[in-house]
Amino acid sequence: MIRKLAYIGFCLVMIGCSGPSVPEVFNDSKALPKIYPDYTNVTIPINMAPLSFELDEEADDMIARYAFGDEEIVCAGKAQPEIDEWRTLTEKAKGNAITVDVYALKSDQWTHYKPFSIFVSPDSIDSYLSYRLIYPSFVSYEALTINQRCLENYDESVIYDNVLCSFEKDGQCINCHNYQQYNPERMQFHARQNNGGTVITYDGHIKKVNMRNDSIVSAGVYPAWHPWLKLIVYSSNKTNQSFHTTHHNKIEVYDSQSDLIAYDIDKGEITNLENDTTELEVFPAWAPDGKTLYYCSAHYVKQDSTLSRPREVAKRSQEIKYNIYKKSFDPETMAFGPRELVFAADSLNKSATLPRISPDGRYLMFALAEYGVFHIWHHDADLWLLDLQTGEARAADEINSPDTESYHSWSSNGKWVVFSSRRDDGTYTRPFFAHIDKDGHGTKPFELPSADPNYHREFMRCYNIPEFMYGPVTIKPQTFADILKGDGEPVKYVQKLTK
C-alpha cells in the first residue's frame, strides 16, 4: 500500500495569478520565524521532496513565499509547495539559495520575519530510504513494519508487516534490514520468535535461512553485506534488557555474549571470526573496497561466580566500553586477518558503536556515548567522525543536538548522511539529513519532509535503522510472509570459509 499524505494549505506559483499574496503592509522583525520543522538555513539535495512547514507559534494566519530569481511559490495557512512547482524552483536555484519570507497575522497586524535560506545543493540523494517503524514502548512490538519512502516525493509503502506472521500469543519481531550496495534487489532482514529466520533476497530469488547452530552464540543479528561477494558478516548476540525507574536512560539493552560470524550465501556455510569469550563483538561494517571489515568490541571478564552472566553484565553495564577495530580481508582467499585497533573510545572513558564508512573510504562515522552498546536509548549519544587518512577523530558538533543521535548511514555518493535523532522531543526518533563536504564538515540537519508539516508530531512511532536504496523493494509483503511461514534452510558450520 502506498500512502501519500494530503495537502492542507494552498500554494500558488507564478506572479500575477489569483490566490494568496504577500501582504503589502507589515512590520519587520529582526528575528527568524519559529517554524516546525526547523528548515531555516538548511542545505538540501536537488531531488529532495518539498520542505513544508508551519508557524510554531500562535497566529491568525501565515503567508510564506519561497523565491529564487523571477520564480516564486506563495503559500497560505501552512507552507506546502506542490511537487511540480517545487521541482521547477529547486532546479532554477541549483547551486544557490532559495529565499523564504514568512509573514504572520496577529490582531489584524502582519509581521514580516527575517528571511532565511534553503540552499539547494547540486549533489543528489538516493531516491529511497527504508526504516523500521516501531512504537516507543517497552513491552509491545506487534505493530511493527519495515517501510520505504521515496525521498523525491511523499510516497511511502510497507516492505514487510510484523502481523502477517503473528497469531495472538505467537508473536513475531522483525528487524535489521540491510542491502548490498544500496541495491533493493539484494536485501536481508530477520524475523524473531514465531516463524523466525533470516530472509535473504538476491536478484529475484528469496530464501529463508535458519542460522541457528550449536557452534555459534546465536543466529545472525546485526548484518554487513560484502560490497560484491555473496557473503554477509553478522554479529551473533545474546541480548538482554533492563528497565530503570530513576535513571534518565529508561531502558538498557546489552549483550551478555556476542561474536562475529560470516555466512556464505551460496554454500550455506557459516563460521566464527573471533570466538573469544572475553570479547563482546558487534556492529560489523565493510569498507567500500571490500578488503577491510570494521566492527566494535568490548573486553569483558566475568568476576562474580554467584551471578549468572546476564545478571552480572546488567549490574556492570555502565562499565562496559566498546572500541572500534578492523580486520583485513582477502576477497580471493576469503581469509580474514588479525584484529587491529582503530579507535580507543575507552581511553576517553566512552563507548563507540555503529561504525559506518563513507563510500570513498575517507571517513568513518560512529556513535559515541558514556557506556554500553545500544546508544539509541542513551540521551548523551552523539555522532563522531574519524578521518581514516589522518587518524583524527572529532565530535560532529555541527550535526549533533543535546539529545540522542544514532543509527546513521551514508548516501551512495558519500555527500549525505541520514541518522535517527530524538532532538524534537527526547522520545521519538526521526530521520534527519545533513550534507558532508570533502573535508568532513556537515551542514545543519533537516528533518524528513512530510506533506503535512505537523505529521511527525502526530505520528506515534519511531524511525529505526534508516538505510538508503537507489530504488524501491518490489517484492510484496505477503510474498515475504509466505516465505517466512515455510522451513528455513539450515546452515553448515565450518572452521574456515573457503573460496
Side-chain angles (χ1 to χ4, degrees), residues 132-135 137 139-146 160-177 189-199 212 220-222 239 241 374 464-465 484:
R132 189 172 68 153
L133 292 178
I134 184 172
Y135 287 103
S137 168
V139 294
S140 177
Y141 50 79
E142 283 83 357
L144 176 62
T145 61
I146 299 175
Y160 182 69
D161 192 328
N162 202 55
V163 302
L164 292 176
C165 284
S166 293
F167 307 97
E168 297 179 349
K169 294 182 180 179
D170 296 324
Q172 188 181 74
C173 178
I174 51 173
N175 52 31
C176 299
H177 52 285
F189 68 90
H190 303 307
R192 304 297 181 206
Q193 297 178 284
N194 187 49
N195 293 306
T198 297
V199 174
R212 294 186 179 276
V221 181
Y222 303 110
T239 302
Q241 58 185 0
F374 217 67
N464 190 241
I465 315 179
L484 278 168

Side-chain angles (χ1 to χ4, degrees), residues 333-383:
T333 63
M334 302 283 279
F336 289 88
R339 79 172 190 173
E340 302 174 54
L341 181 64
V342 175
F343 181 75
D346 60 355
S347 67
L348 304 175
N349 199 28
K350 300 285 186 179
S351 183
T353 65
L354 294 163
R356 296 289 185 269
I357 300 86
S358 61
D360 63 0
R362 172 75 183 272
Y363 297 105
L364 186 154
M365 185 172 283
F366 60 96
L368 193 75
E370 291 181 8
Y371 62 89
V373 69
F374 217 67
H375 288 355
I376 195 65
W377 283 110
H378 294 173
H379 292 289
D380 67 307
D382 280 332
L383 296 178

Side-chain angles (χ1 to χ4, degrees), residues 74-85:
V74 180
C75 303
K78 293 182 179 182
Q80 296 171 291
E82 293 286 348
I83 289 177
D84 290 343
E85 284 78 11

Side-chain angles (χ1 to χ4, degrees), residues 214-217 236 238 255-260 272-281 297-303 309-310 312-313 316 320 322 339:
D214 291 341
S215 298
I216 60 177
V217 171
S236 178
K238 286 190 176 180
D255 292 326
S256 59
Q257 288 180 260
S258 59
D259 199 0
L260 294 181
N272 291 104
L273 299 188
E274 280 289 317
N275 207 19
D276 186 339
T277 58
T278 65
E279 291 291 326
L280 300 172
E281 298 99 349
S297 185
H299 188 66
Y300 180 82
V301 178
K302 195 173 185 306
Q303 299 175 354
R309 188 178 178 94
E312 186 187 85
V313 171
R316 297 173 53 197
I320 299 175
Y322 285 77
R339 79 172 190 173

